Amino acid sequence: MLTILGFAMIATFLVLIMTKKMSPIAALVLIPALFCVAVGQGAQLGDYVIEGVGNLAPTAAMLMFAIVYFGVMIDVGLFDPIVRGILKFCQADPMRIVVGTAVLAAIVSLDGDGSTTFMITVSAMYPLYKRLKMSLVVMTGVAATANGVMNTLPWGGPTARAATALKLDASEIFVPMIPALAMGLVAVFILAYVLGLRERKRLGMLTLDEALAREPEPETVTTGAGGTGGEDRLRKGASASAGGTGTSTGTGTGTGSDSAADPADGDDDAFRGLDPNRSTLRPKLYWFNAGLTAALLTAMIMELMPIPVLFLLGAALALTVNFPHMPDQRARIAAHADNVLNVSGMVFAAAVFTGVLTGTGMVENMADWVVGAVPDAMGPHMAIVTGLLSLPLTYFMSNDGFYFGVLPVLAEAGAAHGVSPLEIARASLAGQALHMSSPLVPAVYVLVGMAKVEFGDHTRFTVKWAVLTSLVVLGAGILFGIM
């Protein structure tokens, strides 16, 4: 019964957010609460939620201070050279912009943190997508899928969890997987190229100067890259109503002085991330900020301190050095407050969902049912089975739940048929491209929040491409004899 209710709870949640009948934060709270009562454990709901909140509190703290830190770094111009390089490559060509999104997301993903990747990628690319009226779900889908492939780095999380759960060396898991993961990344770039061509066909191609000269128009989020232009835009003439996007996009470009800009600028507010004269720039502190960021990322990779503590210290230091006056510090914090509140609120709402899913025993029963449903004849092919199961299981479960709860069972079943734990561990990484768009991944809310995309729209657009990318990784692993 718990198995059926567990799948029913997940299905209900996904249907409600994809059809936009409920907001993600409301669905994350109310749906599990109702199902907790339905299984007769309503009296324990408070305990489950508190346990879930306790488990996710460090993640919420990390995201809060990471948003402030990277928001400040964007404000002061640390990433402007990267943005200029991407813009020089893109030249207002939709195809190049989408490919540039994939390349930027893949490069920044080397730090192993999805939230960081999405903040930098969206901050750099959002203004171009907005200005050219490109589909924002193309940006979120490509960024999430690229990050999902790169999330398999040893310091990214899944590889370390697999190594810990099966008592293996992380390098023995990851290094042989490099060719398969490289094929997955190539698949992402090909996907970006195809989606970019569809956007180019829909919108045409301009020079950057022509794009900057275009009259700003409000736009709606599209759920596909191949629709007609008329379906993706609103009529001209209401552009002034879009003028409040300067400080709420998460790009960190709004300032106290900028907020008084001419409201007729409309969508130009969202384009100020490229303004070389914005008042928050700190060119004399560029190398300090670059060194601080490099030190912070190095400390993260080397695990010198817990990540939330590192970002807390980094945010405090960045604010103090770059904005020594209290009014300026308050203005910077206020500029990023919307994103901090939205993301942290979503994380704590997700704590209700994961707390109930785990506390009631639904996750354990679902995992046992899935593993038990594998026919004995598939025993010698347990690596392939593990790879296929990693797609839905890492989407519907947290990485901790999958790697520490399900993977050891799969490895034991494989060992009984002569399949080594290393093959099982490598195969378990195949689903990470899809995992990064899971509603249980806090970083995805950073992505959709900063890009102003509905989570349901992002899910409908991204899942099919992420599944395809994961299957490419799995197929390449089989082809290369890795699993």
Side-chain angles (χ1 to χ4, degrees), residues 141-482:
V142 168
T145 308
N147 179 252
V149 175
M150 297 296 290
N151 192 46
T152 53
L153 292 168
W155 54 88
T159 302
R161 287 180 174 91
T164 302
L166 301 184
K167 298 179 175 59
L168 302 170
D169 185 87
S171 62
E172 292 181 343
I173 299 173
F174 176 74
V175 174
M177 277 293 291
I178 290 177
L181 296 173
M183 292 301 297
L185 202 55
V186 169
V188 174
F189 294 150
I190 293 174
L191 170 64
Y193 176 76
V194 173
L195 294 177
L197 287 179
R198 291 169 63 179
E199 284 291 273
R200 178 197 281 176
K201 181 178 180 181
R202 182 172 69 88
L203 299 168
M205 185 171 66
L206 302 173
T207 66
L208 187 57
D209 290 339
E210 288 172 333
L212 291 171
R214 289 180 66 171
E215 179 182 354
E217 300 174 14
E219 52 113 15
T220 56
V221 173
T222 63
T223 57
T228 62
E231 293 173 344
D232 299 319
R233 307 180 193 180
L234 298 177
R235 194 178 300 273
K236 286 185 180 182
S239 61
S241 65
T245 61
T247 59
S248 61
T249 63
T251 60
T253 60
T255 67
S257 60
D258 288 342
S259 64
D262 184 356
D265 286 347
D267 285 355
D268 285 343
D269 288 350
F271 211 66
R272 286 198 189 120
L274 307 177
D275 180 5
N277 299 313
R278 62 187 186 273
S279 62
T280 57
L281 288 176
R282 297 293 185 269
K284 294 182 179 180
L285 294 172
Y286 182 85
W287 291 111
F288 166 80
N289 289 315
L292 177 61
T293 302
L296 180 62
L297 297 180
T298 301
M300 286 172 53
I301 293 171
M302 296 179 65
E303 300 181 352
L304 298 182
M305 296 179 70
I307 293 178
V309 176
L310 290 172
F311 274 119
L312 191 157
L313 294 173
L317 187 57
L319 278 169
T320 302
V321 174
N322 288 283
F323 302 98
H325 302 295
M326 284 297 296
D328 293 334
Q329 291 184 17
R330 285 195 295 267
R332 291 301 88 224
I333 293 173
H336 306 293
D338 283 350
N339 283 314
V340 169
L341 180 60
N342 290 336
V343 172
S344 59
M346 201 72 71
V347 171
F348 286 123
V352 180
F353 194 94
T354 57
V356 170
L357 203 60
T358 303
T360 57
M362 291 181 185
V363 164
E364 184 178 353
N365 279 266
M366 290 163 63
D368 290 342
W369 179 84
V370 170
V371 174
V374 177
D376 290 339
M378 293 299 294
H381 308 289
M382 279 304 295
I384 299 175
V385 171
T386 299
L388 292 173
L389 289 178
S390 71
L391 273 71
L393 292 183
T394 58
Y395 186 81
F396 295 127
M397 300 170 62
S398 67
N399 269 341
D400 285 340
F402 175 72
Y403 284 102
F404 294 120
V406 178
L407 190 60
V409 178
L410 293 172
E412 185 176 348
H417 293 86
V419 181
S420 74
L422 274 173
E423 293 179 75
I424 299 293
R426 292 166 190 159
S428 71
L429 301 177
Q432 286 304 303
L434 177 61
H435 171 74
M436 284 310 298
S437 289
S438 166
L440 302 181
V441 175
V444 75
Y445 298 112
V446 177
L447 175 64
V448 298
M450 292 182 65
K452 296 183 177 295
V453 170
E454 290 289 339
F455 182 80
D457 290 335
H458 170 78
T459 300
R460 279 197 300 272
F461 178 82
T462 307
V463 165
K464 56 183 178 292
W465 303 119
V467 168
L468 180 61
T469 304
S470 293
L471 291 177
V472 168
V473 173
L474 180 60
I478 296 171
L479 182 65
F480 295 144
I482 299 170

Side-chain angles (χ1 to χ4, degrees), residues 91-110:
Q91 290 297 314
D93 176 2
M95 184 274 289
R96 290 191 176 198
I97 290 172
V98 180
V99 173
T101 301
V103 172
L104 180 60
I107 292 173
V108 181
S109 294
L110 290 171

